Amino acid sequence: MTGGHGDPGLLDHMVEASLGWLEGARGCFRLPPDVTTDADPNLTLKPLGELAELSQLIGALHPREEVRRTARGLFAFAWNETQDGELFAELIRGEPFATYPVELYGVFARAGLRHAEADALVRTTTRLRGWRVAREDHTRTLGVLNAERRIGLRPHADFGSVLALTGLGRLPEPWALDRKAAYGITHDVFHLTDWGRDRQRLSPELAGYLRLWLPSWLENWLEEQLWDLVGELLAVTACLPRAPYDPVAWQRLAGAQAADGSVPERGAAPGSGDPDEMFTACYHSTLVTAFAATLARIAADEAEAGPCGGDPVLVGGRTPGESESAP
């Protein structure tokens, strides 16, 4: 990796192309009528929640207005799919011990989009003993704690204590990192930094560990052409202080992006032309590419501004002038 300023032209193109494909794939993000009953949330709510999480960040933080406008449109679409928050009240009533409705609602609450009944229900259910049961997945618990903070709830556990139990917090032997553990570490970073908005929460020890080993991890998964994980690792890289820029990794990821803006999760995009298969194979990695390129673009601007140029990202976790209100 280098400490260079990055390639704003390349990064902007990757974000714009990714958002263009996602805009065209809106129909695949729509929720089915049975979303609160029999539908698998991993195939319905999860994609919509990921679209909301990352489009909100891009719509607030990307330096270019036209990019922000497209991302804000996607975020508004996601909120509309929740029936302006009514969906969360239904989900919480149906599964009062479940954490995923709180995690999803937190994405919108962070942007100032609230639903009165969902607010009342979530304040009740998160105090239930059954809801606060210890979870084995500490990374997921970080996500729940971040959602509680976004909504304005009292956290049910100490964030630092939980972080210490995660893959990142334990500083695992880097040579033993498998794919699942690598994804866990990327999400530890995302929850800790609020998806790159509050990078100062990354301690010098954790930042130093990541700065040392990210190049090796990137090289490994570039060789495997696991573009989804490559994108997440590049996003983590952009969360580091004085974020380094890896031109080879970015060129490789750009080479994996198709002319229509889609990025396959692994290898090449499916050739069948089936829209559902194409969506499943590409939606997350395309979102991640837009997210990582946005963070890298911000880091490039900061490097160009120099030490006296200030930090345009970190003003209470927002850019100067950014509102937490609806798009």
Side-chain angles (χ1 to χ4, degrees), residues 48-70:
L48 187 73
E50 290 165 340
L51 177 69
E53 181 75 73
L54 300 183
S55 65
Q56 197 278 330
L57 180 140
I58 297 166
L61 299 184
H62 197 279
R64 293 179 58 181
E65 170 58 29
E66 60 270 32
V67 173
R68 295 197 301 272
R69 187 183 309 116
T70 302

PDB file of all heavy atoms in Angstrom, residues 48-70:
ATOM      1  N   LEU A  48     -32.545  -4.944   1.782  1.00  0.00           N
ATOM      2  CA  LEU A  48     -33.073  -3.587   1.877  1.00  0.00           C
ATOM      3  C   LEU A  48     -32.344  -2.804   2.961  1.00  0.00           C
ATOM      4  O   LEU A  48     -32.025  -1.624   2.781  1.00  0.00           O
ATOM      5  CB  LEU A  48     -34.574  -3.617   2.174  1.00  0.00           C
ATOM      6  CG  LEU A  48     -35.246  -2.239   2.118  1.00  0.00           C
ATOM      7  CD1 LEU A  48     -35.366  -1.752   0.685  1.00  0.00           C
ATOM      8  CD2 LEU A  48     -36.620  -2.288   2.787  1.00  0.00           C
ATOM      9  N   GLY A  49     -32.057  -3.453   4.096  1.00  0.00           N
ATOM     10  CA  GLY A  49     -31.335  -2.781   5.166  1.00  0.00           C
ATOM     11  C   GLY A  49     -29.929  -2.392   4.753  1.00  0.00           C
ATOM     12  O   GLY A  49     -29.437  -1.314   5.103  1.00  0.00           O
ATOM     13  N   GLU A  50     -29.264  -3.264   3.996  1.00  0.00           N
ATOM     14  CA  GLU A  50     -27.917  -2.944   3.519  1.00  0.00           C
ATOM     15  C   GLU A  50     -27.963  -1.793   2.514  1.00  0.00           C
ATOM     16  O   GLU A  50     -27.085  -0.915   2.529  1.00  0.00           O
ATOM     17  CB  GLU A  50     -27.296  -4.196   2.898  1.00  0.00           C
ATOM     18  CG  GLU A  50     -26.965  -5.257   3.937  1.00  0.00           C
ATOM     19  CD  GLU A  50     -26.700  -6.631   3.354  1.00  0.00           C
ATOM     20  OE1 GLU A  50     -27.119  -6.889   2.207  1.00  0.00           O
ATOM     21  OE2 GLU A  50     -26.090  -7.458   4.053  1.00  0.00           O
ATOM     22  N   LEU A  51     -28.969  -1.793   1.661  1.00  0.00           N
ATOM     23  CA  LEU A  51     -29.137  -0.672   0.744  1.00  0.00           C
ATOM     24  C   LEU A  51     -29.322   0.629   1.513  1.00  0.00           C
ATOM     25  O   LEU A  51     -28.708   1.650   1.187  1.00  0.00           O
ATOM     26  CB  LEU A  51     -30.343  -0.917  -0.167  1.00  0.00           C
ATOM     27  CG  LEU A  51     -30.691   0.216  -1.134  1.00  0.00           C
ATOM     28  CD1 LEU A  51     -29.617   0.359  -2.212  1.00  0.00           C
ATOM     29  CD2 LEU A  51     -32.065  -0.010  -1.761  1.00  0.00           C
ATOM     30  N   ALA A  52     -30.157   0.583   2.557  1.00  0.00           N
ATOM     31  CA  ALA A  52     -30.412   1.790   3.342  1.00  0.00           C
ATOM     32  C   ALA A  52     -29.152   2.258   4.059  1.00  0.00           C
ATOM     33  O   ALA A  52     -28.822   3.452   4.045  1.00  0.00           O
ATOM     34  CB  ALA A  52     -31.528   1.523   4.356  1.00  0.00           C
ATOM     35  N   GLU A  53     -28.427   1.335   4.707  1.00  0.00           N
ATOM     36  CA  GLU A  53     -27.229   1.691   5.474  1.00  0.00           C
ATOM     37  C   GLU A  53     -26.213   2.411   4.607  1.00  0.00           C
ATOM     38  O   GLU A  53     -25.695   3.481   4.971  1.00  0.00           O
ATOM     39  CB  GLU A  53     -26.609   0.427   6.065  1.00  0.00           C
ATOM     40  CG  GLU A  53     -25.366   0.655   6.896  1.00  0.00           C
ATOM     41  CD  GLU A  53     -25.663   1.243   8.254  1.00  0.00           C
ATOM     42  OE1 GLU A  53     -26.179   0.517   9.126  1.00  0.00           O
ATOM     43  OE2 GLU A  53     -25.361   2.446   8.454  1.00  0.00           O
ATOM     44  N   LEU A  54     -25.918   1.841   3.455  1.00  0.00           N
ATOM     45  CA  LEU A  54     -24.817   2.367   2.656  1.00  0.00           C
ATOM     46  C   LEU A  54     -25.246   3.525   1.769  1.00  0.00           C
ATOM     47  O   LEU A  54     -24.455   4.448   1.536  1.00  0.00           O
ATOM     48  CB  LEU A  54     -24.202   1.229   1.839  1.00  0.00           C
ATOM     49  CG  LEU A  54     -23.640   0.090   2.707  1.00  0.00           C
ATOM     50  CD1 LEU A  54     -22.974  -0.976   1.849  1.00  0.00           C
ATOM     51  CD2 LEU A  54     -22.665   0.604   3.758  1.00  0.00           C
ATOM     52  N   SER A  55     -26.489   3.523   1.279  1.00  0.00           N
ATOM     53  CA  SER A  55     -26.926   4.669   0.481  1.00  0.00           C
ATOM     54  C   SER A  55     -27.074   5.914   1.346  1.00  0.00           C
ATOM     55  O   SER A  55     -26.821   7.032   0.871  1.00  0.00           O
ATOM     56  CB  SER A  55     -28.229   4.358  -0.255  1.00  0.00           C
ATOM     57  OG  SER A  55     -29.309   4.146   0.640  1.00  0.00           O
ATOM     58  N   GLN A  56     -27.459   5.742   2.617  1.00  0.00           N
ATOM     59  CA  GLN A  56     -27.556   6.913   3.493  1.00  0.00           C
ATOM     60  C   GLN A  56     -26.187   7.546   3.697  1.00  0.00           C
ATOM     61  O   GLN A  56     -26.030   8.764   3.646  1.00  0.00           O
ATOM     62  CB  GLN A  56     -28.174   6.524   4.838  1.00  0.00           C
ATOM     63  CG  GLN A  56     -28.697   7.698   5.659  1.00  0.00           C
ATOM     64  CD  GLN A  56     -27.623   8.428   6.449  1.00  0.00           C
ATOM     65  OE1 GLN A  56     -26.638   7.828   6.844  1.00  0.00           O
ATOM     66  NE2 GLN A  56     -27.833   9.720   6.686  1.00  0.00           N
ATOM     67  N   LEU A  57     -25.174   6.704   3.914  1.00  0.00           N
ATOM     68  CA  LEU A  57     -23.821   7.234   4.112  1.00  0.00           C
ATOM     69  C   LEU A  57     -23.319   7.933   2.846  1.00  0.00           C
ATOM     70  O   LEU A  57     -22.803   9.052   2.910  1.00  0.00           O
ATOM     71  CB  LEU A  57     -22.878   6.100   4.499  1.00  0.00           C
ATOM     72  CG  LEU A  57     -21.423   6.510   4.726  1.00  0.00           C
ATOM     73  CD1 LEU A  57     -20.834   5.769   5.913  1.00  0.00           C
ATOM     74  CD2 LEU A  57     -20.566   6.243   3.479  1.00  0.00           C
ATOM     75  N   ILE A  58     -23.493   7.291   1.692  1.00  0.00           N
ATOM     76  CA  ILE A  58     -23.024   7.893   0.444  1.00  0.00           C
ATOM     77  C   ILE A  58     -23.778   9.194   0.172  1.00  0.00           C
ATOM     78  O   ILE A  58     -23.196  10.202  -0.243  1.00  0.00           O
ATOM     79  CB  ILE A  58     -23.186   6.896  -0.719  1.00  0.00           C
ATOM     80  CG1 ILE A  58     -22.308   5.666  -0.484  1.00  0.00           C
ATOM     81  CG2 ILE A  58     -22.820   7.561  -2.059  1.00  0.00           C
ATOM     82  CD1 ILE A  58     -22.634   4.489  -1.392  1.00  0.00           C
ATOM     83  N   GLY A  59     -25.086   9.179   0.433  1.00  0.00           N
ATOM     84  CA  GLY A  59     -25.898  10.367   0.192  1.00  0.00           C
ATOM     85  C   GLY A  59     -25.555  11.534   1.097  1.00  0.00           C
ATOM     86  O   GLY A  59     -25.852  12.688   0.779  1.00  0.00           O
ATOM     87  N   ALA A  60     -24.933  11.243   2.233  1.00  0.00           N
ATOM     88  CA  ALA A  60     -24.543  12.305   3.159  1.00  0.00           C
ATOM     89  C   ALA A  60     -23.098  12.757   2.977  1.00  0.00           C
ATOM     90  O   ALA A  60     -22.789  13.932   3.146  1.00  0.00           O
ATOM     91  CB  ALA A  60     -24.747  11.841   4.603  1.00  0.00           C
ATOM     92  N   LEU A  61     -22.201  11.833   2.605  1.00  0.00           N
ATOM     93  CA  LEU A  61     -20.778  12.125   2.698  1.00  0.00           C
ATOM     94  C   LEU A  61     -20.022  12.231   1.383  1.00  0.00           C
ATOM     95  O   LEU A  61     -18.908  12.773   1.360  1.00  0.00           O
ATOM     96  CB  LEU A  61     -20.086  11.053   3.556  1.00  0.00           C
ATOM     97  CG  LEU A  61     -20.554  10.911   5.001  1.00  0.00           C
ATOM     98  CD1 LEU A  61     -19.706   9.877   5.725  1.00  0.00           C
ATOM     99  CD2 LEU A  61     -20.501  12.242   5.724  1.00  0.00           C
ATOM    100  N   HIS A  62     -20.551  11.710   0.287  1.00  0.00           N
ATOM    101  CA  HIS A  62     -19.766  11.760  -0.952  1.00  0.00           C
ATOM    102  C   HIS A  62     -19.545  13.216  -1.366  1.00  0.00           C
ATOM    103  O   HIS A  62     -20.452  14.038  -1.273  1.00  0.00           O
ATOM    104  CB  HIS A  62     -20.450  10.985  -2.070  1.00  0.00           C
ATOM    105  CG  HIS A  62     -19.510  10.666  -3.187  1.00  0.00           C
ATOM    106  ND1 HIS A  62     -19.180  11.590  -4.168  1.00  0.00           N
ATOM    107  CD2 HIS A  62     -18.791   9.550  -3.468  1.00  0.00           C
ATOM    108  CE1 HIS A  62     -18.312  11.041  -4.993  1.00  0.00           C
ATOM    109  NE2 HIS A  62     -18.053   9.807  -4.599  1.00  0.00           N
ATOM    110  N   PRO A  63     -18.346  13.541  -1.855  1.00  0.00           N
ATOM    111  CA  PRO A  63     -18.055  14.938  -2.199  1.00  0.00           C
ATOM    112  C   PRO A  63     -18.879  15.491  -3.365  1.00  0.00           C
ATOM    113  O   PRO A  63     -19.031  16.711  -3.480  1.00  0.00           O
ATOM    114  CB  PRO A  63     -16.563  14.896  -2.572  1.00  0.00           C
ATOM    115  CG  PRO A  63     -16.023  13.668  -1.929  1.00  0.00           C
ATOM    116  CD  PRO A  63     -17.149  12.693  -1.928  1.00  0.00           C
ATOM    117  N   ARG A  64     -19.407  14.640  -4.240  1.00  0.00           N
ATOM    118  CA  ARG A  64     -20.078  15.135  -5.437  1.00  0.00           C
ATOM    119  C   ARG A  64     -21.596  15.123  -5.268  1.00  0.00           C
ATOM    120  O   ARG A  64     -22.181  14.104  -4.893  1.00  0.00           O
ATOM    121  CB  ARG A  64     -19.663  14.313  -6.655  1.00  0.00           C
ATOM    122  CG  ARG A  64     -18.199  14.510  -7.014  1.00  0.00           C
ATOM    123  CD  ARG A  64     -17.802  13.679  -8.202  1.00  0.00           C
ATOM    124  NE  ARG A  64     -18.621  13.992  -9.369  1.00  0.00           N
ATOM    125  CZ  ARG A  64     -18.474  13.383 -10.549  1.00  0.00           C
ATOM    126  NH1 ARG A  64     -17.536  12.454 -10.696  1.00  0.00           N
ATOM    127  NH2 ARG A  64     -19.240  13.691 -11.558  1.00  0.00           N
ATOM    128  N   GLU A  65     -22.220  16.245  -5.574  1.00  0.00           N
ATOM    129  CA  GLU A  65     -23.659  16.401  -5.363  1.00  0.00           C
ATOM    130  C   GLU A  65     -24.475  15.417  -6.195  1.00  0.00           C
ATOM    131  O   GLU A  65     -25.462  14.867  -5.715  1.00  0.00           O
ATOM    132  CB  GLU A  65     -24.089  17.839  -5.681  1.00  0.00           C
ATOM    133  CG  GLU A  65     -25.591  18.056  -5.722  1.00  0.00           C
ATOM    134  CD  GLU A  65     -26.305  17.683  -4.428  1.00  0.00           C
ATOM    135  OE1 GLU A  65     -25.678  17.778  -3.348  1.00  0.00           O
ATOM    136  OE2 GLU A  65     -27.483  17.286  -4.505  1.00  0.00           O
ATOM    137  N   GLU A  66     -24.097  15.187  -7.439  1.00  0.00           N
ATOM    138  CA  GLU A  66     -24.888  14.285  -8.276  1.00  0.00           C
ATOM    139  C   GLU A  66     -24.869  12.852  -7.727  1.00  0.00           C
ATOM    140  O   GLU A  66     -25.859  12.129  -7.839  1.00  0.00           O
ATOM    141  CB  GLU A  66     -24.409  14.310  -9.728  1.00  0.00           C
ATOM    142  CG  GLU A  66     -22.960  13.902  -9.944  1.00  0.00           C
ATOM    143  CD  GLU A  66     -21.989  15.073  -9.884  1.00  0.00           C
ATOM    144  OE1 GLU A  66     -22.252  16.039  -9.133  1.00  0.00           O
ATOM    145  OE2 GLU A  66     -20.966  15.018 -10.593  1.00  0.00           O
ATOM    146  N   VAL A  67     -23.749  12.469  -7.128  1.00  0.00           N
ATOM    147  CA  VAL A  67     -23.662  11.150  -6.508  1.00  0.00           C
ATOM    148  C   VAL A  67     -24.540  11.110  -5.270  1.00  0.00           C
ATOM    149  O   VAL A  67     -25.295  10.151  -5.042  1.00  0.00           O
ATOM    150  CB  VAL A  67     -22.199  10.811  -6.159  1.00  0.00           C
ATOM    151  CG1 VAL A  67     -22.118   9.517  -5.357  1.00  0.00           C
ATOM    152  CG2 VAL A  67     -21.360  10.702  -7.426  1.00  0.00           C
ATOM    153  N   ARG A  68     -24.454  12.158  -4.446  1.00  0.00           N
ATOM    154  CA  ARG A  68     -25.289  12.221  -3.242  1.00  0.00           C
ATOM    155  C   ARG A  68     -26.775  12.163  -3.607  1.00  0.00           C
ATOM    156  O   ARG A  68     -27.564  11.507  -2.921  1.00  0.00           O
ATOM    157  CB  ARG A  68     -24.990  13.482  -2.440  1.00  0.00           C
ATOM    158  CG  ARG A  68     -23.585  13.547  -1.865  1.00  0.00           C
ATOM    159  CD  ARG A  68     -23.463  14.577  -0.761  1.00  0.00           C
ATOM    160  NE  ARG A  68     -23.811  15.923  -1.191  1.00  0.00           N
ATOM    161  CZ  ARG A  68     -22.955  16.782  -1.734  1.00  0.00           C
ATOM    162  NH1 ARG A  68     -21.687  16.416  -1.927  1.00  0.00           N
ATOM    163  NH2 ARG A  68     -23.333  17.995  -2.079  1.00  0.00           N
ATOM    164  N   ARG A  69     -27.147  12.826  -4.681  1.00  0.00           N
ATOM    165  CA  ARG A  69     -28.561  12.874  -5.079  1.00  0.00           C
ATOM    166  C   ARG A  69     -29.068  11.471  -5.427  1.00  0.00           C
ATOM    167  O   ARG A  69     -30.157  11.064  -5.007  1.00  0.00           O
ATOM    168  CB  ARG A  69     -28.733  13.814  -6.265  1.00  0.00           C
ATOM    169  CG  ARG A  69     -30.190  14.065  -6.638  1.00  0.00           C
ATOM    170  CD  ARG A  69     -30.305  14.937  -7.873  1.00  0.00           C
ATOM    171  NE  ARG A  69     -29.500  16.147  -7.759  1.00  0.00           N
ATOM    172  CZ  ARG A  69     -28.462  16.455  -8.530  1.00  0.00           C
ATOM    173  NH1 ARG A  69     -28.083  15.609  -9.471  1.00  0.00           N
ATOM    174  NH2 ARG A  69     -27.805  17.580  -8.371  1.00  0.00           N
ATOM    175  N   THR A  70     -28.292  10.731  -6.193  1.00  0.00           N
ATOM    176  CA  THR A  70     -28.693   9.363  -6.549  1.00  0.00           C
ATOM    177  C   THR A  70     -28.809   8.487  -5.311  1.00  0.00           C
ATOM    178  O   THR A  70     -29.772   7.731  -5.153  1.00  0.00           O
ATOM    179  CB  THR A  70     -27.682   8.748  -7.531  1.00  0.00           C
ATOM    180  OG1 THR A  70     -27.583   9.561  -8.692  1.00  0.00           O
ATOM    181  CG2 THR A  70     -28.103   7.349  -7.939  1.00  0.00           C
TER     182      THR A  70
END
